Amino acid sequence: MSVSERVKKGMEVGSWIRRMFEEGIAMKKKFGPKNVYDLSLGNPVMEPPPEFKREIKRLADHPFKGMHGYMENAGYPETRAAVGAQLSKETGLKITEKDVIMAVGAAGAINVALKTILDPGDEVIVFIPWFVDYFNYIENHDGVVKPLPTDENFMPRLDVLEANIGPRTKALLIDSPNNPTGVLYSAELLKKIGEILRKKEAEYGTEIFIVSDEPYKKILYDGLEYPSPLNFHRHSIVCTSHSKDLSIAGERIGYIALHPDCTHHDDMIKGMVFCTRVLGFINAPAFLQNVVTRIQDVTIPVSEYRRNRDFIYNNLVRMGYTVNKPQGAFYIFPKCPIEDDVAFVHDLQNEHHVLTVPGVAFGIHGYFRLVYCVEHELLEKCMPGLEQMAKKHGLMK
Ligand SMILES: Cc1ncc(COP(=O)(O)O)c(C=O)c1O
């Protein structure tokens, strides 16, 4: 077939989630959708907040001329200014429309950022477990993926990080709060990471960026606040979206924010605007830019996700699974009772109709991921299957 070797390899990397998804569809056809319990996909069921609908209505009732046409590739200045104002509030830095480029979701933002900074052979460090498409995003732009192990709580190991930064290291791509583990990187950790990067920048005479993928930054529990890498490293590029905080993943609206004091700031912005164009995005969706301009401080009610988090975490612990309590996002990543995560996930699926994703999809064996951005009743229906599996493998009597 004419599919390139590079794409074939990329498809193989992401194939676990796709395979689970396809098997899930087949099972739903065979047993009926109500009898298959799908915790495999991070597609939030929550409706967008009323303010989102209010803004759609306002724009539909009061359209302005040219509203559906092209604008400058970076996006509407008013939207970028609104994003900058919100980020200024969150970080205490002065961030303006000059630092912001609207993007086609966080995924589009990451691709624009990576294309802008990577020359062929430049290395991008990621921590395991990682978001499955990072591998492909880095390869899209001829970068070399450098996956690094984390500690038993999925936190970056600073000694390992420092030892693995070399003259070709261009970026560290992080994802906090994390998919799949739910861990949040603390301010102390980010401070130390920033120090290591600056030490290495001085040693090699390079710039090493933190590319911060943060679509879950507003989905935090237990009173935690989001520490932004912008406060700890001036070579930071925020790549994010409203996919999850407004529950509008299909609408593909996000943004890039560059630290205002970044070296070669204006050239970096011009580069990212150019990449937005030549990657074929041209600009982020016009209508959605206008919709999100006035609701930068709005977020879906996190309490519903917290209720699901508490429910699934408490039940998994009761059943004897070893699992970290997620601090944010809407994923949980327990240890499998057996080493073979693929076999475990298949059994859970075939014997109990509960769909999850094996750890290998995130670069690590021995774990499995469940999502809890679903109806609470669906979570309840998954518990007997998880309990049976815990009994089968001796976690509980
Ligand atoms: C860690 C992470 N990064 C990026 C994305 C893509 O986000 P978006 O829909 O905004 O492109 C996702 C989506 O699930 C994600 O989990």
Side-chain angles (χ1 to χ4, degrees):
M1 71 175 174
S2 348
V3 174
S4 74
E5 291 307 316
R6 187 209 289 236
V7 169
K8 277 189 215 156
K9 191 169 144 216
M11 286 164 74
E12 191 47 40
V13 172
S15 62
W16 283 113
I17 294 192
R18 203 183 61 245
R19 220 170 291 162
M20 301 307 297
F21 184 61
E22 282 162 9
E23 284 178 24
I25 291 175
M27 282 186 77
K28 281 176 196 167
K29 268 195 196 141
K30 189 165 168 194
F31 299 106
K34 284 200 174 137
N35 300 314
V36 178
Y37 315 122
D38 192 347
L39 301 186
S40 68
L41 268 189
N43 194 14
V45 288
M46 207 184 278
E47 281 298 305
E51 292 89 340
F52 176 76
K53 296 181 182 171
R54 181 199 71 204
E55 286 303 292
I56 291 176
K57 191 163 184 317
R58 180 181 65 79
L59 286 157
D61 289 345
H62 307 284
F64 63 86
K65 198 162 164 18
M67 190 167 87
H68 302 292
Y70 292 128
M71 78 301 302
E72 51 186 286
N73 297 133
Y76 287 106
E78 313 83 75
T79 308
R80 285 156 42 218
V83 168
Q86 177 64 24
L87 281 175
S88 301
K89 249 192 260 169
E90 290 170 15
T91 62
L93 299 168
K94 188 168 181 334
I95 299 174
T96 71
E97 73 274 15
K98 294 196 182 80
D99 310 306
V100 175
I101 297 169
M102 299 310 292
V104 181
I110 299 166
N111 273 280
V112 168
L114 293 177
K115 183 173 176 65
T116 307
I117 59 176
L118 291 182
D119 276 313
D122 281 345
E123 293 170 2
V124 180
I125 290 175
V126 292
F127 295 117
I128 298 169
W130 60 352
F131 176 58
V132 64
D133 273 336
Y134 284 171
F135 178 91
N136 294 309
Y137 297 166
I138 295 165
E139 291 238 322
N140 276 346
H141 310 293
D142 297 320
V144 175
V145 188
K146 197 120 199 223
L148 299 185
T150 48
D151 70 12
E152 61 287 355
N153 293 316
F154 307 115
M155 284 297 174
R157 288 169 48 187
L158 296 171
D159 53 337
V160 175
L161 172 65
E162 185 162 353
N164 278 280
I165 296 177
R168 294 303 304 267
T169 306
K170 202 64 195 264
L172 170 63
L173 174 52
I174 60 170
D175 155 28
S176 163
N178 184 267
N179 174 7
T181 64
V183 299
L184 176 72
Y185 292 0
S186 67
E188 296 75 52
L189 178 69
L190 291 171
K191 183 167 176 276
K192 286 183 188 148
I193 289 177
E195 284 163 5
I196 291 171
L197 297 187
R198 283 190 293 286
K199 184 173 155 198
K200 292 290 176 181
E201 286 179 330
E203 186 178 334
Y204 296 117
T206 53
E207 283 127 31
I208 307 173
F209 291 92
I210 295 181
V211 177
S212 179
D213 176 21
E214 41 193 68
Y216 304 101
K217 73 171 172 181
K218 292 187 179 171
I219 303 178
L220 292 174
Y221 310 117
D222 310 324
L224 287 168
E225 286 191 8
Y226 180 71
S228 170
L230 289 170
N231 289 111
F232 301 99
H233 191 53
R234 74 185 172 110
H235 294 145
S236 287
I237 310 173
V238 165
C239 294
T240 190
S241 71
H242 295 297
S243 294
K244 316 289 166 150
D245 61 32
L246 292 177
S247 218
I248 53 169
E251 300 295 352
R252 315 306 304 133
I253 186 73
Y255 61 83
I256 300 168
L258 181 67
H259 194 293
D261 300 331
C262 182
T263 315
H264 308 302
H265 175 280
D266 294 357
D267 286 345
M268 283 283 293
I269 291 288
K270 279 186 206 148
M272 290 196 279
V273 171
F274 171 80
C275 290
T276 298
R277 197 181 88 220
V278 301
L279 279 171
F281 299 129
I282 311 292
N283 54 251
F287 188 70
L288 267 294
Q289 288 191 50
N290 286 307
V291 172
V292 301
T293 301
R294 297 191 187 182
I295 53 171
Q296 280 301 306
D297 56 350
V298 175
T299 307
I300 41 91
V302 170
S303 53
E304 289 192 32
Y305 289 141
R306 197 196 55 232
R307 175 172 174 240
N308 281 357
R309 192 266 324 238
D310 290 346
F311 177 79
I312 194 164
Y313 172 76
N314 291 337
N315 272 289
L316 288 169
V317 169
R318 176 183 60 77
M319 294 170 199
Y321 289 94
T322 303
V323 62
N324 273 0
K325 191 171 193 175
Q327 296 167 295
F330 37 58
Y331 307 96
I332 191 162
F333 202 55
K335 212 169 173 20
C336 283
I338 53 172
E339 196 47 39
D340 188 345
D341 48 314
V342 176
F344 180 81
V345 160
H346 266 122
D347 286 355
L348 186 58
Q349 175 172 313
N350 295 332
E351 293 169 23
H352 305 288
H353 299 186
V354 178
L355 311 187
T356 60
V357 181
V360 64
F362 308 95
I364 184 169
H365 275 294
Y367 294 85
F368 65 116
R369 188 194 76 172
L370 307 101
V371 307
Y372 53 86
C373 54
V374 296
E375 304 284 358
H376 191 77
E377 296 69 44
L378 175 60
L379 280 188
E380 285 173 352
K381 287 182 182 157
C382 296
M383 291 307 124
L386 287 161
E387 189 165 324
Q388 289 302 315
M389 290 296 280
K391 284 184 179 152
K392 178 175 167 180
H393 293 292
L395 296 182
M396 68 186 297
K397 290 206 179 113

